Amino acid sequence: MRKLNGENVKLAIQKEGRLTDETLNLLRTAGLHFESYKQRLFSACRNFPLDILYVRDDDIPEYVAEGVVDLGIVGRNLVVETQQPVDELLALDYGHCTLTVAVPSDSDITDLSQLAGHKVATSYPVATRRFFAERKIEVEVITISGSVEITPALGIATAIADLVSTGSSLKLNDLVPLATVFESQSLLVANCKLGENERKAAIVERLLLRLRGALAAREYKYIMMNAPRAALPRIFAITPGLKSPTVLPTADPDWVAVHTVVREDVFWEVIEQLRLLGTQGILVSPIEKMFI
Ligand code: AMP
């Protein structure tokens, strides 16, 4: 049987579930080469001193806190719920969801305070209890491990506190949101004592550089366009780029070529404004890696 290399940094990720594909994609985009097949327990990276362990995601905060592994990739929801002491190194911008309190759409309850004396079903009892206690609303929290959404229909609870991303599961079960307990996304977390091991800490810094490069690249698009020279000041105002856009001459002295980057979240608004400024031949490319 292959053994883990004690010298390598160990990273635990979800073996099978919602976060697995995006986590593997991110690690690959960060330039890590490793095999990954269904029955795997761990993979050793060929080109980086990192071993990837595939585990149940509920166990990840504890494994990281106890030092069984050095790093973990896990939803913030589990870090909050398990209350394990770990260092949050990087938010990874996927697995976005909220722990949401919801009630049946035909319920008389329209305000959280009306839940006093009622039952709330959840798989996140620690966070849910704390949420209601902070608001001094006395509820009975019932812990359910799955299919929390059907508990009001079964008469088990008046409300639920469950993870919601698109909201389609709430709709399907005729539930409406009442309040947000917390927001979550996927995080890279580390054992709190990682810094004491200089060699491992240096490897983790290298990994962070790669992950930040991969994440930043997803946030931006590279765009090239031909622009009337006279429009340059207004173009710079719309697309400041990273430092400032690159401007290249063209054969026509009244026209220049502009190269810049645009954030994904404002991309379409920027393109519309650039068109209004008379730019032509706008070319857009994805960015593979980016180091700001
Ligand atoms: P699962 O594979 O269903 O156990 O989900 C793993 C993780 O995906 C959760 O712990 C959350 O961090 C994240 N997640 C994102 N959206 C949702 C959602 N709508 N329901 C459950 N988990 C979600």
Side-chain angles (χ1 to χ4, degrees):
M1 187 180 152
R2 285 182 67 192
K3 284 230 173 75
L4 290 174
N5 177 343
E7 298 285 296
N8 287 352
V9 167
K10 294 189 206 65
L11 165 70
I13 70 169
Q14 187 184 29
K15 183 172 170 58
E16 218 170 354
R18 243 175 244 264
L19 302 181
T20 310
D21 285 350
E22 288 229 50
T23 301
L24 292 173
N25 273 343
L26 175 65
L27 296 174
R28 293 217 158 90
T29 311
L32 303 175
H33 295 172
F34 55 92
E35 311 305 331
S36 166
Y37 50 91
K38 265 262 171 308
Q39 300 314 318
R40 75 225 150 171
L41 294 174
F42 80 94
S43 312
C45 290
R46 282 195 298 278
N47 61 343
F48 199 81
L50 182 81
D51 289 337
I52 301 166
L53 287 86
Y54 304 91
V55 301
R56 268 167 44 96
D57 68 339
D58 310 43
D59 295 332
I60 294 177
E62 188 178 343
Y63 284 174
V64 175
E66 297 289 323
V68 176
V69 293
D70 305 292
L71 301 173
I73 291 182
V74 67
R76 185 168 164 266
N77 51 306
L78 290 177
V79 176
V80 172
E81 183 64 18
T82 58
Q83 297 185 300
Q84 293 286 346
V86 296
D87 281 341
E88 296 188 15
L89 297 186
L90 192 62
L92 302 175
D93 201 21
Y94 61 87
H96 287 275
C97 55
T98 56
L99 186 66
T100 301
V101 179
V103 289
S105 55
D106 59 1
S107 160
D108 294 337
I109 293 175
T110 53
D111 188 83
L112 270 186
S113 58
Q114 292 172 278
L115 282 175
H118 286 268
K119 292 179 178 159
V120 180
T122 185
S123 305
Y124 292 84
V126 174
T128 304
R129 264 193 208 106
R130 194 169 56 203
F131 175 79
F132 282 102
E134 279 167 5
R135 284 156 186 79
K136 307 211 170 6
I137 303 169
E138 280 190 32
V139 297
E140 185 185 338
V141 172
I142 301 175
T143 308
I144 306 273
S145 59
S147 304
V148 173
E149 308 95 318
I150 60 162
T151 55
L154 296 177
I156 298 173
T158 308
I160 63 160
D162 202 13
L163 290 182
V164 174
S165 39
T166 59
S168 59
S169 180
L170 285 188
K171 277 210 187 84
L172 208 65
N173 289 283
D174 237 348
L175 297 163
V176 288
L178 209 58
T180 297
V181 178
F182 60 65
E183 296 196 342
S184 177
Q185 62 174 297
S186 199
L187 299 177
L188 176 71
V189 295
N191 178 267
C192 295
K193 292 193 181 143
L194 184 75
E196 291 173 16
N197 183 331
E198 272 180 36
R199 200 184 52 78
K200 281 194 170 177
I203 296 171
V204 171
E205 274 309 312
R206 288 172 57 208
L207 180 65
L208 277 173
L209 177 79
R210 288 172 175 237
L211 292 173
R212 288 197 185 104
L215 289 174
R218 287 184 185 180
E219 271 180 53
Y220 288 88
K221 294 246 183 279
Y222 190 78
I223 64 172
M224 295 163 270
M225 69 201 110
N226 291 320
R229 190 180 283 279
L232 276 181
R234 276 174 296 162
I235 292 176
F236 293 165
I238 298 168
T239 62
L242 286 179
K243 212 170 197 95
S244 82
T246 303
V247 179
L248 301 165
T250 68
D252 181 338
D254 291 334
W255 283 77
V256 287
V258 180
H259 293 204
T260 188
V261 295
V262 175
R263 288 183 67 93
E264 177 78 50
D265 52 353
V266 292
F267 176 76
W268 288 108
E269 287 84 342
V270 169
I271 294 291
E272 283 163 15
Q273 291 178 45
L274 289 173
R275 295 289 292 172
L276 291 176
L277 291 176
T279 60
Q280 293 177 3
I282 304 176
L283 304 180
V284 182
S285 319
I287 299 171
E288 198 184 290
K289 309 273 191 306
M290 183 160 150
F291 302 96
I292 301 174

